[in-house]
């Protein structure tokens, strides 16, 4: 009788660790991450973050934590998704129902926590987050400064092929534009591309 109990417990443990016969291996990678920052005359900035996921297996959606720890709460938040086959992104609705084509948003003061619902299986999808951060530019007597952790600290995934484009509201004078980047690694570059554009 004791042997049977140990055998049942052992089988239960094996099922708990393996998930049973119906569990399929699934994984994803972030193949591309593009951010467009359009700085406005009023000192705010519009952000468009396009994050491309390569999914293997079945997924019900994605999570994203937008780091807002050092800025004002974003406004004008829009979430959409676009597959490789679609020419136009589909805008999702803010909802707490947890159904495909919707997203939830929780403000923790340090992060905006997005849960984006969409059933996906063995496909490539791009999630697009758009928002405006007010008063993100600091004006001094002789200079204006945009200082932002564009890729925040909420990431645990490896990010591949990250491009950040910052566009000023108007062209600057010769040698009046400076740009620095931090945290990108050995292959990172900062380029003044045309005027008024910066590419990181």
């Amino acid at each position: 009788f004791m042997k049977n109990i140990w055998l049942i417990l052992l089988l239960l443990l094996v099922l708990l660790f393996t998930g049973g016969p119906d569990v399929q291996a699934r994984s994803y990678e972030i193949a591309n991450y593009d951010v467009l920052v359009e700085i406005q005359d009023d000192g705010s900035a519009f952000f468009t973050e396009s994050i491309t996921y390569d999914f293997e297996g079945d997924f019900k959606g994605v999570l994203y934590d937008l780091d807002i720890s050092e800025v004002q709460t974003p406004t004008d938040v829009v979430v959409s998704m676009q597959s490789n086959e679609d020419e136009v992104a589909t805008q999702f609705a803010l909802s707490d129902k947890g159904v495909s084509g919707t997203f939830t948003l929780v403000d923790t003061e340090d992060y905006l926590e997005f849960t984006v619902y969409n059933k996906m299986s063995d496909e490539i999808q791009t999630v697009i987050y758009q928002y405006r951060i007010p008063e993100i530019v600091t004006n001094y007597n002789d200079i204006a400064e945009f200082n932002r952790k564009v890729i925040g600290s909420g990431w645990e995934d490896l990010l591949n092929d990250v491009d950040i484009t910052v566009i000023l509201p108007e062209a600057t004078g010769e040698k009046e534009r400076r740009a620095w980047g931090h945290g990108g690694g050995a292959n990172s570059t900062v380029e003044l591309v045309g005027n008024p554009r910066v590419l990181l």
Side-chain angles (χ1 to χ4, degrees), residues 30-197:
I30 296 174
N32 184 259
Y33 193 155
D34 288 335
V35 183
L36 174 64
V37 183
E38 299 171 281
I39 297 177
Q40 306 299 302
D41 285 325
D42 65 359
S44 66
F46 285 104
F47 289 75
T48 302
E49 299 194 30
S50 302
I51 305 172
T52 301
Y53 294 83
D54 188 352
F55 295 103
E56 292 186 11
D58 298 331
F59 288 82
K60 295 180 180 176
V62 297
L63 304 173
Y64 174 49
D65 292 343
L66 173 63
D67 191 337
I68 58 169
S69 56
E70 298 175 8
V71 296
Q72 292 190 29
T73 301
T75 63
D76 308 308
V77 175
V78 175
V79 175
S80 52
M81 286 190 82
Q82 183 173 5
S83 71
N84 278 359
E85 292 79 31
D86 296 331
E87 292 184 11
V88 179
T90 302
Q91 187 170 325
F92 282 19
L94 180 62
S95 170
D96 59 0
K97 298 191 186 225
V99 297
S100 280
T102 67
F103 72 98
T104 61
L105 191 59
V106 176
D107 185 348
T108 69
E109 295 186 2
D110 287 329
Y111 294 96
L112 280 186
E113 296 178 346
F114 291 85
T115 304
V116 181
Y117 296 95
N118 191 43
K119 289 184 179 176
M120 297 160 291
S121 181
D122 298 323
E123 59 190 283
I124 296 174
Q125 287 276 358
T126 300
V127 187
I128 304 164
Y129 303 90
Q130 295 171 290
Y131 54 92
R132 173 182 169 269
I133 297 182
E135 299 178 22
I136 197 166
V137 174
T138 303
N139 283 310
Y140 300 97
N141 288 335
D142 58 348
I143 197 170
E145 178 185 61
F146 168 72
N147 186 0
R148 165 78 176 146
K149 289 188 293 186
V150 178
I151 307 296
S153 59
W155 284 103
E156 295 178 1
D157 299 304
L158 177 66
L159 304 177
N160 296 298
D161 193 13
V162 178
D163 293 308
I164 302 165
T165 302
V166 179
I167 302 176
L168 303 178
E170 60 185 53
T172 62
E174 196 66 29
K175 299 183 180 177
E176 288 185 354
R177 200 169 24 136
R178 300 285 185 272
W180 294 268
H182 302 281
N187 295 324
S188 299
T189 60
V190 179
E191 300 176 61
L192 303 179
V193 182
N195 195 351
R197 188 179 296 255

